[in-house]
Every structure is written in C-alpha cells, then in structure tokens.
Amino acid sequence: EDKVVQSPLSLVVHEGDTVTLNCSYEVTNFRSLLWYKQEKKAPTFLFMLTSSGIEKKSGRLSSILDKKELFSILNITATQTGDSAVYLCAVFPGTYKYIFGTGTRLKVLA
Amino acid sequence: ETGVTQSPTHLIKTRGQQVTLRCSSQSGHNTVSWYQQALGQGPQFIFQYYREEENGRGNFPPRFSGLQFPNYSSELNVNALELDDSALYLCASSLALENIQYFGAGTRLSVL
C-alpha cells in the first residue's frame, strides 16, 4: 500500500532557529513530491520536486528530493513566528490523487 | 489566495442526515478533487472530477458522491451521516495533466 510518513509529528523552536522536516515515501509509482503549508484550513503550495527538479529554494525555505533513498526534506532557516503551521508532504503517483502524510506541526516561539 | 472557494465554512448536522458541500474552482482549472481531513491527520482523497465525470475514487463508501458542472464547479454529497464523517472537507482544483493542486479553505463538518 502506498504511504507517506512525516517526522517529527510536532516541533517547537525559537525564532531564528533552523528546522528540518522529513518526509519518506513508499509508492508503486512516483511522479512528483509536493510540500504544502497549512496555517488554519487551506493548504498553500510551497514546492514541487520531480526527477528533473530535485532541489528547490524560495527565500528562507528550501527542499531536496532523494529519489534513491525515497525521502525529501524541507528546511526553514531563521524561523519566524509566521512560520508556525502544519507542513504537509504529498506524493503524486501520476494517476489522479495525492497521497498525504500526517503532517508536521511546527510552532515557533517569539 | 488560490481562488478556490468553498461553502459553507462550517456546518453542523445530526447522524443520519444528508449534506451538500460546494466548491468553485480556480479560473481556468478543469479538474476538481475532494479530500477529507480528520483532526490531526493528513487529507485523504475522496474522488476527482474531470469534464463532469468521476475520474478516480479513494476508499470511501458510495454514500459519498459528487457532481461537476459545466463551469467546473463541484458538489460533494454525503448521505446517512455518521459521527466519523466529522472532519474538514477540502476541495482542490487543477489543470488536467498538471501535478499541482490548489486548495480551498475547506468546510468544517460536525456530525452530532
């Protein structure tokens, strides 16, 4: 059965810290891996990683994909209180649905 | 903001009732997917609609059904509500053959 596992489940840090969120997957087929940020309700798109794009960066956020070891990490440097959210990892196997992990809840303290 | 809008934002129903949730997709997007997100869990795929036809379905019983209209908006219907149906229901729109889905703010359904 296809599955996506995220760790840690929750994390509390102080402003200015750097965090690394992990996502491992086991799927029959793989087309892409996506990261979303969910603050209250709507997950908002952060990155998509594919075989042809295994590293992405946007400001303080960056992500890499290791297709051999079947995992991805999301790094956030110089964290701010506005980074507090649930971060969701999803794998798109190339059919029609995303397979989500349970998410990592990040709390950044001032 | 993604341009995907869902209504209502909150809903309270009792067990056995029926509910209809609505979603307007982002302009130009022809594919709509529905997900159920229980508290503390990741979203679970319910089904997807493309060109007014169901394009794929997750592990949900037939009492979960849907529609897509010619303007690409969509409805999710749930019959014979059970307590475990209490969750956040998310709608996501995308262009067919593109991998990125854009989510609405969801409808919080409480079944008492």
Side-chain angles (χ1 to χ4, degrees):
Chain A
E1 185 183 337
D2 294 343
K3 65 178 180 181
V4 175
V5 178
Q6 292 187 245
S7 64
L9 290 181
S10 66
L11 197 52
V12 180
V13 300
H14 290 90
E15 269 192 323
D17 288 349
T18 294
V19 297
T20 298
L21 311 182
N22 303 291
C23 174
S24 64
Y25 60 92
E26 291 179 32
V27 296
T28 308
N29 293 300
F30 176 90
R31 183 174 291 183
S32 59
L33 183 145
L34 300 96
W35 285 96
Y36 285 84
K37 177 182 181 182
Q38 187 174 28
E39 290 182 79
K40 295 225 174 126
K41 287 186 177 180
T44 54
F45 170 74
L46 295 175
F47 296 120
M48 181 173 73
L49 301 144
T50 66
S51 301
S52 57
I54 60 172
E55 187 169 351
K56 293 286 176 75
K57 183 175 171 62
S58 176
R60 297 177 295 103
L61 277 65
S62 63
S63 182
I64 63 169
L65 172 69
D66 187 324
K67 274 205 71 181
K68 183 180 176 185
E69 300 298 329
L70 308 183
F71 76 89
S72 174
I73 62 171
L74 176 67
N75 278 317
I76 309 175
T77 60
T79 51
Q80 302 170 357
T81 54
D83 295 327
S84 296
V86 174
Y87 289 83
L88 294 166
C89 172
V91 170
F92 180 62
T95 51
Y96 40 80
K97 66 177 181 181
Y98 284 1
I99 302 164
F100 280 90
T102 54
T104 293
R105 181 174 297 277
L106 173 66
K107 187 169 178 63
V108 182
L109 302 175
Chain B
E1 197 167 311
T2 63
V4 180
T5 58
Q6 292 187 242
S7 63
T9 53
H10 294 90
L11 207 48
I12 299 174
K13 292 285 188 179
T14 55
R15 201 169 46 178
Q17 285 188 311
Q18 178 265 342
V19 68
T20 297
L21 311 182
R22 294 177 175 84
C23 172
S24 293
S25 60
Q26 184 168 315
S27 178
H29 284 183
N30 54 13
T31 302
V32 173
S33 304
W34 287 91
Y35 292 83
Q36 180 195 66
Q37 187 176 23
L39 206 58
Q41 300 297 314
Q44 298 292 313
F45 176 76
I46 303 174
F47 44 55
Q48 183 182 85
Y49 277 84
Y50 170 64
R51 289 185 174 178
E52 303 175 53
E53 303 256 340
E54 188 180 286
N55 192 39
R57 190 177 184 92
N59 294 327
F60 282 82
R63 61 188 183 84
F64 285 77
S65 63
L67 283 173
Q68 187 180 32
F69 300 100
N71 66 354
Y72 306 131
S73 66
S74 177
E75 286 183 356
L76 164 65
N77 298 290
V78 188
N79 294 322
L81 283 167
E82 300 177 0
L83 298 179
D84 285 348
D85 296 334
S86 296
L88 179 67
Y89 288 85
L90 293 165
C91 165
S93 75
S94 57
L95 279 171
L97 303 181
E98 285 199 2
N99 292 352
I100 303 174
Q101 295 183 2
Y102 296 91
F103 286 83
T107 294
R108 172 77 60 192
L109 173 64
S110 298
V111 182
L112 306 179

Short mmCIF file of all heavy atoms in Angstrom, two decimals, chain B residues 2-57:
data_model
loop_
_atom_site.label_atom_id
_atom_site.label_comp_id
_atom_site.label_asym_id
_atom_site.label_seq_id
_atom_site.Cartn_x
_atom_site.Cartn_y
_atom_site.Cartn_z
N THR B 2 -5.80 31.22 -3.36
CA THR B 2 -5.76 30.38 -4.56
C THR B 2 -6.89 30.66 -5.53
O THR B 2 -6.80 30.28 -6.69
CB THR B 2 -5.87 28.90 -4.15
OG1 THR B 2 -7.14 28.69 -3.50
CG2 THR B 2 -4.75 28.51 -3.19
N GLY B 3 -7.99 31.26 -5.09
CA GLY B 3 -9.12 31.42 -5.98
C GLY B 3 -10.09 30.26 -5.93
O GLY B 3 -11.08 30.25 -6.64
N VAL B 4 -9.80 29.25 -5.09
CA VAL B 4 -10.74 28.15 -4.90
C VAL B 4 -11.61 28.51 -3.69
O VAL B 4 -11.10 28.77 -2.61
CB VAL B 4 -9.98 26.83 -4.62
CG1 VAL B 4 -10.97 25.69 -4.40
CG2 VAL B 4 -9.03 26.51 -5.76
N THR B 5 -12.91 28.53 -3.91
CA THR B 5 -13.81 28.93 -2.83
C THR B 5 -14.75 27.78 -2.48
O THR B 5 -15.23 27.06 -3.37
CB THR B 5 -14.64 30.17 -3.18
OG1 THR B 5 -15.38 29.90 -4.38
CG2 THR B 5 -13.74 31.36 -3.43
N GLN B 6 -14.99 27.62 -1.18
CA GLN B 6 -15.85 26.56 -0.70
C GLN B 6 -16.94 27.14 0.19
O GLN B 6 -16.73 28.12 0.90
CB GLN B 6 -15.04 25.53 0.09
CG GLN B 6 -14.07 24.74 -0.76
CD GLN B 6 -13.41 23.62 0.02
OE1 GLN B 6 -12.20 23.59 0.20
NE2 GLN B 6 -14.24 22.67 0.50
N SER B 7 -18.10 26.49 0.15
CA SER B 7 -19.19 26.92 1.04
C SER B 7 -20.00 25.70 1.47
O SER B 7 -20.08 24.72 0.73
CB SER B 7 -20.09 27.93 0.30
OG SER B 7 -20.71 27.32 -0.82
N PRO B 8 -20.58 25.77 2.68
CA PRO B 8 -20.34 26.79 3.69
C PRO B 8 -19.00 26.59 4.38
O PRO B 8 -18.32 25.62 4.10
CB PRO B 8 -21.50 26.54 4.67
CG PRO B 8 -21.74 25.07 4.57
CD PRO B 8 -21.47 24.70 3.14
N THR B 9 -18.63 27.47 5.29
CA THR B 9 -17.37 27.32 6.01
C THR B 9 -17.53 26.34 7.16
O THR B 9 -16.60 25.60 7.49
CB THR B 9 -16.85 28.66 6.53
OG1 THR B 9 -17.89 29.28 7.29
CG2 THR B 9 -16.45 29.56 5.39
N HIS B 10 -18.68 26.38 7.80
CA HIS B 10 -18.97 25.47 8.91
C HIS B 10 -20.38 24.90 8.74
O HIS B 10 -21.25 25.57 8.19
CB HIS B 10 -18.93 26.19 10.27
CG HIS B 10 -17.57 26.68 10.65
ND1 HIS B 10 -17.12 27.92 10.31
CD2 HIS B 10 -16.57 26.09 11.34
CE1 HIS B 10 -15.89 28.09 10.77
NE2 HIS B 10 -15.53 26.99 11.39
N LEU B 11 -20.56 23.69 9.27
CA LEU B 11 -21.85 23.03 9.16
C LEU B 11 -21.99 22.05 10.32
O LEU B 11 -21.04 21.32 10.64
CB LEU B 11 -21.88 22.25 7.84
CG LEU B 11 -23.17 21.95 7.11
CD1 LEU B 11 -24.05 23.19 6.99
CD2 LEU B 11 -22.84 21.40 5.74
N ILE B 12 -23.17 22.06 10.93
CA ILE B 12 -23.45 21.09 11.99
C ILE B 12 -24.66 20.27 11.58
O ILE B 12 -25.71 20.84 11.23
CB ILE B 12 -23.71 21.79 13.34
CG1 ILE B 12 -22.48 22.59 13.77
CG2 ILE B 12 -24.07 20.75 14.42
CD1 ILE B 12 -22.69 23.42 15.02
N LYS B 13 -24.52 18.97 11.59
CA LYS B 13 -25.60 18.06 11.21
C LYS B 13 -25.73 16.98 12.29
O LYS B 13 -24.85 16.79 13.11
CB LYS B 13 -25.29 17.41 9.86
CG LYS B 13 -25.31 18.35 8.68
CD LYS B 13 -26.71 18.72 8.30
CE LYS B 13 -26.79 19.50 7.02
NZ LYS B 13 -28.19 19.83 6.65
N THR B 14 -26.84 16.26 12.23
CA THR B 14 -27.02 15.13 13.13
C THR B 14 -26.88 13.83 12.34
O THR B 14 -27.06 13.80 11.11
CB THR B 14 -28.37 15.17 13.85
OG1 THR B 14 -29.41 15.25 12.86
CG2 THR B 14 -28.45 16.38 14.76
N ARG B 15 -26.58 12.79 13.05
CA ARG B 15 -26.38 11.48 12.45
C ARG B 15 -27.60 11.08 11.61
O ARG B 15 -28.74 11.28 12.03
CB ARG B 15 -26.15 10.45 13.56
CG ARG B 15 -25.46 9.20 13.14
CD ARG B 15 -25.03 8.39 14.33
NE ARG B 15 -26.08 8.27 15.33
CZ ARG B 15 -25.94 7.58 16.45
NH1 ARG B 15 -24.81 6.99 16.72
NH2 ARG B 15 -26.92 7.51 17.31
N GLY B 16 -27.33 10.53 10.42
CA GLY B 16 -28.41 10.10 9.54
C GLY B 16 -28.83 11.14 8.51
O GLY B 16 -29.47 10.79 7.51
N GLN B 17 -28.48 12.40 8.75
CA GLN B 17 -28.86 13.45 7.80
C GLN B 17 -27.97 13.40 6.55
O GLN B 17 -27.00 12.62 6.47
CB GLN B 17 -28.75 14.83 8.45
CG GLN B 17 -29.87 15.13 9.42
CD GLN B 17 -29.83 16.57 9.90
OE1 GLN B 17 -28.78 17.08 10.32
NE2 GLN B 17 -30.97 17.24 9.85
N GLN B 18 -28.31 14.25 5.60
CA GLN B 18 -27.56 14.36 4.36
C GLN B 18 -26.97 15.77 4.27
O GLN B 18 -27.54 16.72 4.83
CB GLN B 18 -28.51 14.09 3.17
CG GLN B 18 -27.88 14.23 1.80
CD GLN B 18 -28.10 15.61 1.19
OE1 GLN B 18 -28.96 16.37 1.62
NE2 GLN B 18 -27.29 15.94 0.21
N VAL B 19 -25.84 15.91 3.57
CA VAL B 19 -25.21 17.22 3.47
C VAL B 19 -24.66 17.41 2.05
O VAL B 19 -24.27 16.44 1.38
CB VAL B 19 -24.08 17.37 4.51
CG1 VAL B 19 -22.91 16.45 4.20
CG2 VAL B 19 -23.61 18.80 4.62
N THR B 20 -24.66 18.66 1.60
CA THR B 20 -24.07 19.03 0.31
C THR B 20 -23.06 20.14 0.52
O THR B 20 -23.39 21.18 1.11
CB THR B 20 -25.15 19.50 -0.68
OG1 THR B 20 -26.04 18.41 -0.94
CG2 THR B 20 -24.51 19.93 -2.00
N LEU B 21 -21.85 19.92 0.07
CA LEU B 21 -20.78 20.92 0.15
C LEU B 21 -20.45 21.38 -1.26
O LEU B 21 -20.50 20.59 -2.20
CB LEU B 21 -19.53 20.32 0.80
CG LEU B 21 -19.73 19.55 2.12
CD1 LEU B 21 -18.39 19.05 2.65
CD2 LEU B 21 -20.44 20.40 3.14
N ARG B 22 -20.08 22.67 -1.39
CA ARG B 22 -19.88 23.24 -2.70
C ARG B 22 -18.47 23.81 -2.87
O ARG B 22 -17.86 24.26 -1.90
CB ARG B 22 -20.92 24.32 -2.97
CG ARG B 22 -22.32 23.75 -3.06
CD ARG B 22 -23.40 24.79 -3.25
NE ARG B 22 -24.70 24.15 -3.46
CZ ARG B 22 -25.49 23.74 -2.48
NH1 ARG B 22 -25.14 23.91 -1.21
NH2 ARG B 22 -26.64 23.14 -2.76
N CYS B 23 -18.01 23.80 -4.12
CA CYS B 23 -16.66 24.25 -4.43
C CYS B 23 -16.65 24.93 -5.80
O CYS B 23 -17.17 24.38 -6.77
CB CYS B 23 -15.72 23.05 -4.45
SG CYS B 23 -14.05 23.40 -5.04
N SER B 24 -16.05 26.12 -5.84
CA SER B 24 -15.81 26.79 -7.11
C SER B 24 -14.31 26.74 -7.39
O SER B 24 -13.51 27.18 -6.56
CB SER B 24 -16.26 28.25 -7.05
OG SER B 24 -17.66 28.32 -6.93
N SER B 25 -13.98 26.21 -8.55
CA SER B 25 -12.56 26.02 -8.85
C SER B 25 -11.91 27.33 -9.27
O SER B 25 -12.58 28.31 -9.63
CB SER B 25 -12.38 24.97 -9.93
OG SER B 25 -13.05 25.36 -11.11
N GLN B 26 -10.58 27.33 -9.25
CA GLN B 26 -9.82 28.48 -9.71
C GLN B 26 -10.08 28.67 -11.20
O GLN B 26 -10.24 27.68 -11.94
CB GLN B 26 -8.34 28.24 -9.44
CG GLN B 26 -7.43 29.40 -9.79
CD GLN B 26 -6.03 29.20 -9.22
OE1 GLN B 26 -5.85 28.81 -8.08
NE2 GLN B 26 -5.03 29.46 -10.05
N SER B 27 -10.10 29.92 -11.62
CA SER B 27 -10.40 30.24 -13.01
C SER B 27 -9.50 29.47 -13.96
O SER B 27 -8.27 29.46 -13.81
CB SER B 27 -10.22 31.75 -13.23
OG SER B 27 -10.45 32.07 -14.58
N GLY B 28 -10.12 28.78 -14.92
CA GLY B 28 -9.35 28.04 -15.91
C GLY B 28 -9.05 26.60 -15.54
O GLY B 28 -8.63 25.82 -16.39
N HIS B 29 -9.27 26.24 -14.28
CA HIS B 29 -8.99 24.87 -13.85
C HIS B 29 -10.18 23.97 -14.16
O HIS B 29 -11.32 24.29 -13.82
CB HIS B 29 -8.70 24.83 -12.36
CG HIS B 29 -7.33 25.32 -12.01
ND1 HIS B 29 -6.84 25.32 -10.71
CD2 HIS B 29 -6.35 25.83 -12.78
CE1 HIS B 29 -5.61 25.80 -10.73
NE2 HIS B 29 -5.29 26.12 -11.96
N ASN B 30 -9.91 22.81 -14.78
CA ASN B 30 -10.99 21.93 -15.22
C ASN B 30 -11.12 20.67 -14.39
O ASN B 30 -11.96 19.82 -14.68
CB ASN B 30 -10.80 21.58 -16.70
CG ASN B 30 -9.44 20.99 -16.99
OD1 ASN B 30 -8.70 20.62 -16.08
ND2 ASN B 30 -9.09 20.90 -18.26
N THR B 31 -10.30 20.51 -13.37
CA THR B 31 -10.30 19.29 -12.56
C THR B 31 -10.49 19.66 -11.10
O THR B 31 -9.83 20.59 -10.60
CB THR B 31 -8.97 18.54 -12.74
OG1 THR B 31 -8.79 18.24 -14.12
CG2 THR B 31 -8.97 17.25 -11.94
N VAL B 32 -11.38 18.94 -10.43
CA VAL B 32 -11.65 19.20 -9.01
C VAL B 32 -11.49 17.90 -8.23
O VAL B 32 -12.03 16.86 -8.63
CB VAL B 32 -13.07 19.76 -8.81
CG1 VAL B 32 -13.39 19.86 -7.32
CG2 VAL B 32 -13.21 21.12 -9.46
N SER B 33 -10.77 17.98 -7.13
CA SER B 33 -10.58 16.82 -6.24
C SER B 33 -11.11 17.17 -4.87
O SER B 33 -11.03 18.33 -4.43
CB SER B 33 -9.09 16.47 -6.13
OG SER B 33 -8.54 16.23 -7.40
N TRP B 34 -11.64 16.18 -4.19
CA TRP B 34 -12.16 16.35 -2.83
C TRP B 34 -11.36 15.48 -1.86
O TRP B 34 -11.03 14.32 -2.17
CB TRP B 34 -13.64 15.97 -2.75
CG TRP B 34 -14.57 16.95 -3.38
CD1 TRP B 34 -15.00 16.96 -4.68
CD2 TRP B 34 -15.19 18.07 -2.74
NE1 TRP B 34 -15.87 18.02 -4.88
CE2 TRP B 34 -16.00 18.71 -3.71
CE3 TRP B 34 -15.16 18.60 -1.45
CZ2 TRP B 34 -16.77 19.85 -3.42
CZ3 TRP B 34 -15.93 19.72 -1.17
CH2 TRP B 34 -16.71 20.33 -2.14
N TYR B 35 -11.07 16.06 -0.69
CA TYR B 35 -10.33 15.36 0.35
C TYR B 35 -11.05 15.52 1.68
O TYR B 35 -11.68 16.55 1.94
CB TYR B 35 -8.91 15.94 0.49
CG TYR B 35 -8.01 15.69 -0.69
CD1 TYR B 35 -8.06 16.50 -1.82
CD2 TYR B 35 -7.09 14.64 -0.68
CE1 TYR B 35 -7.24 16.27 -2.91
CE2 TYR B 35 -6.24 14.41 -1.76
CZ TYR B 35 -6.34 15.23 -2.87
OH TYR B 35 -5.51 14.99 -3.94
N GLN B 36 -10.89 14.50 2.54
CA GLN B 36 -11.38 14.56 3.91
C GLN B 36 -10.18 14.62 4.84
O GLN B 36 -9.26 13.80 4.73
CB GLN B 36 -12.21 13.31 4.23
CG GLN B 36 -12.77 13.29 5.65
CD GLN B 36 -13.25 11.90 6.05
OE1 GLN B 36 -12.47 10.96 6.18
NE2 GLN B 36 -14.56 11.76 6.26
N GLN B 37 -10.16 15.60 5.74
CA GLN B 37 -9.06 15.72 6.69
C GLN B 37 -9.60 15.64 8.11
O GLN B 37 -10.20 16.60 8.60
CB GLN B 37 -8.28 17.02 6.48
CG GLN B 37 -7.03 17.10 7.33
CD GLN B 37 -6.19 18.33 7.07
OE1 GLN B 37 -6.69 19.35 6.59
NE2 GLN B 37 -4.90 18.28 7.38
N ALA B 38 -9.38 14.52 8.78
CA ALA B 38 -9.75 14.37 10.18
C ALA B 38 -8.74 15.12 11.04
O ALA B 38 -7.61 15.40 10.61
CB ALA B 38 -9.80 12.90 10.55
N LEU B 39 -9.13 15.43 12.25
CA LEU B 39 -8.29 16.21 13.15
C LEU B 39 -6.95 15.50 13.37
O LEU B 39 -6.90 14.31 13.70
CB LEU B 39 -9.02 16.38 14.48
CG LEU B 39 -8.65 17.60 15.30
CD1 LEU B 39 -8.89 18.88 14.51
CD2 LEU B 39 -9.44 17.62 16.60
N GLY B 40 -5.86 16.23 13.15
CA GLY B 40 -4.54 15.68 13.38
C GLY B 40 -4.04 14.73 12.31
O GLY B 40 -2.99 14.09 12.48
N GLN B 41 -4.78 14.64 11.21
CA GLN B 41 -4.39 13.74 10.12
C GLN B 41 -4.13 14.53 8.84
O GLN B 41 -4.52 15.68 8.73
CB GLN B 41 -5.51 12.72 9.86
CG GLN B 41 -5.85 11.84 11.06
CD GLN B 41 -4.67 10.99 11.48
OE1 GLN B 41 -4.00 10.37 10.64
NE2 GLN B 41 -4.41 10.94 12.78
N GLY B 42 -3.51 13.85 7.89
CA GLY B 42 -3.37 14.45 6.57
C GLY B 42 -4.64 14.25 5.76
O GLY B 42 -5.46 13.40 6.08
N PRO B 43 -4.83 15.04 4.72
CA PRO B 43 -6.01 14.87 3.86
C PRO B 43 -6.05 13.49 3.21
O PRO B 43 -5.01 12.98 2.79
CB PRO B 43 -5.84 15.97 2.82
CG PRO B 43 -4.95 16.99 3.46
CD PRO B 43 -4.00 16.19 4.31
N GLN B 44 -7.25 12.90 3.14
CA GLN B 44 -7.47 11.62 2.47
C GLN B 44 -8.31 11.84 1.22
O GLN B 44 -9.37 12.48 1.29
CB GLN B 44 -8.20 10.65 3.41
CG GLN B 44 -7.43 10.31 4.67
CD GLN B 44 -6.19 9.49 4.39
OE1 GLN B 44 -6.24 8.51 3.65
NE2 GLN B 44 -5.09 9.87 4.99
N PHE B 45 -7.87 11.31 0.11
CA PHE B 45 -8.54 11.51 -1.18
C PHE B 45 -9.90 10.83 -1.21
O PHE B 45 -10.01 9.64 -0.90
CB PHE B 45 -7.64 10.95 -2.28
CG PHE B 45 -8.23 10.99 -3.65
CD1 PHE B 45 -8.29 12.18 -4.36
CD2 PHE B 45 -8.69 9.84 -4.25
CE1 PHE B 45 -8.81 12.21 -5.64
CE2 PHE B 45 -9.22 9.86 -5.53
CZ PHE B 45 -9.28 11.06 -6.23
N ILE B 46 -10.92 11.60 -1.62
CA ILE B 46 -12.26 11.03 -1.76
C ILE B 46 -12.52 10.67 -3.22
O ILE B 46 -12.75 9.52 -3.56
CB ILE B 46 -13.35 12.01 -1.24
CG1 ILE B 46 -13.08 12.39 0.21
CG2 ILE B 46 -14.75 11.37 -1.40
CD1 ILE B 46 -14.03 13.45 0.75
N PHE B 47 -12.53 11.68 -4.09
CA PHE B 47 -12.66 11.46 -5.53
C PHE B 47 -12.26 12.70 -6.30
O PHE B 47 -12.02 13.77 -5.73
CB PHE B 47 -14.07 11.01 -5.95
CG PHE B 47 -15.21 11.74 -5.32
CD1 PHE B 47 -15.33 13.12 -5.40
CD2 PHE B 47 -16.20 11.05 -4.65
CE1 PHE B 47 -16.39 13.79 -4.81
CE2 PHE B 47 -17.27 11.69 -4.06
CZ PHE B 47 -17.35 13.06 -4.14
N GLN B 48 -12.16 12.52 -7.61
CA GLN B 48 -11.78 13.61 -8.51
C GLN B 48 -12.78 13.65 -9.68
O GLN B 48 -13.23 12.60 -10.15
CB GLN B 48 -10.38 13.40 -9.06
CG GLN B 48 -9.88 14.54 -9.94
CD GLN B 48 -8.49 14.26 -10.50
OE1 GLN B 48 -8.31 13.60 -11.51
NE2 GLN B 48 -7.49 14.79 -9.81
N TYR B 49 -13.06 14.86 -10.13
CA TYR B 49 -13.93 15.06 -11.28
C TYR B 49 -13.20 15.81 -12.38
O TYR B 49 -12.47 16.79 -12.12
CB TYR B 49 -15.20 15.82 -10.88
CG TYR B 49 -16.24 14.90 -10.31
CD1 TYR B 49 -16.19 14.54 -8.96
CD2 TYR B 49 -17.23 14.34 -11.11
CE1 TYR B 49 -17.11 13.66 -8.44
CE2 TYR B 49 -18.16 13.46 -10.58
CZ TYR B 49 -18.09 13.12 -9.26
OH TYR B 49 -19.01 12.24 -8.73
N TYR B 50 -13.41 15.34 -13.60
CA TYR B 50 -12.83 15.97 -14.80
C TYR B 50 -13.88 15.87 -15.89
O TYR B 50 -14.40 14.78 -16.17
CB TYR B 50 -11.54 15.27 -15.18
CG TYR B 50 -10.98 15.67 -16.52
CD1 TYR B 50 -10.54 16.97 -16.75
CD2 TYR B 50 -10.86 14.75 -17.56
CE1 TYR B 50 -10.02 17.35 -17.97
CE2 TYR B 50 -10.34 15.11 -18.78
CZ TYR B 50 -9.93 16.41 -18.99
OH TYR B 50 -9.41 16.79 -20.19
N ARG B 51 -14.17 16.99 -16.50
CA ARG B 51 -15.18 17.04 -17.57
C ARG B 51 -16.49 16.40 -17.13
O ARG B 51 -17.08 15.59 -17.86
CB ARG B 51 -14.66 16.35 -18.83
CG ARG B 51 -13.57 17.12 -19.53
CD ARG B 51 -13.19 16.46 -20.84
NE ARG B 51 -12.24 17.29 -21.57
CZ ARG B 51 -11.71 16.95 -22.75
NH1 ARG B 51 -12.05 15.81 -23.30
NH2 ARG B 51 -10.87 17.75 -23.35
N GLU B 52 -16.90 16.72 -15.92
CA GLU B 52 -18.18 16.31 -15.34
C GLU B 52 -18.29 14.82 -15.07
O GLU B 52 -19.38 14.32 -14.76
CB GLU B 52 -19.35 16.77 -16.24
CG GLU B 52 -19.35 18.28 -16.47
CD GLU B 52 -20.43 18.72 -17.44
OE1 GLU B 52 -21.61 18.37 -17.23
OE2 GLU B 52 -20.09 19.41 -18.41
N GLU B 53 -17.16 14.10 -15.15
CA GLU B 53 -17.17 12.66 -14.87
C GLU B 53 -16.23 12.36 -13.71
O GLU B 53 -15.17 13.00 -13.57
CB GLU B 53 -16.70 11.88 -16.09
CG GLU B 53 -17.51 12.13 -17.34
CD GLU B 53 -18.44 10.96 -17.63
OE1 GLU B 53 -18.20 9.86 -17.12
OE2 GLU B 53 -19.41 11.19 -18.37
N GLU B 54 -16.58 11.35 -12.90
CA GLU B 54 -15.69 10.93 -11.84
C GLU B 54 -14.46 10.26 -12.47
O GLU B 54 -14.58 9.29 -13.23
CB GLU B 54 -16.40 9.95 -10.90
CG GLU B 54 -15.58 9.63 -9.66
CD GLU B 54 -16.30 8.65 -8.73
OE1 GLU B 54 -17.26 9.06 -8.05
OE2 GLU B 54 -15.88 7.48 -8.69
N ASN B 55 -13.30 10.77 -12.11
CA ASN B 55 -12.05 10.39 -12.75
C ASN B 55 -11.23 9.42 -11.90
O ASN B 55 -10.26 8.84 -12.37
CB ASN B 55 -11.23 11.67 -12.98
CG ASN B 55 -10.06 11.43 -13.88
OD1 ASN B 55 -10.14 10.70 -14.84
ND2 ASN B 55 -8.94 12.06 -13.56
N GLY B 56 -11.61 9.25 -10.66
CA GLY B 56 -10.88 8.37 -9.75
C GLY B 56 -11.50 8.49 -8.38
O GLY B 56 -12.09 9.52 -8.05
N ARG B 57 -11.39 7.46 -7.56
CA ARG B 57 -12.05 7.42 -6.26
C ARG B 57 -11.14 6.77 -5.23
O ARG B 57 -10.44 5.80 -5.53
CB ARG B 57 -13.36 6.65 -6.38
CG ARG B 57 -14.25 6.73 -5.17
CD ARG B 57 -15.56 5.99 -5.39
NE ARG B 57 -16.43 6.17 -4.25
CZ ARG B 57 -17.34 7.14 -4.13
NH1 ARG B 57 -17.53 7.99 -5.12
NH2 ARG B 57 -18.08 7.24 -3.05
#
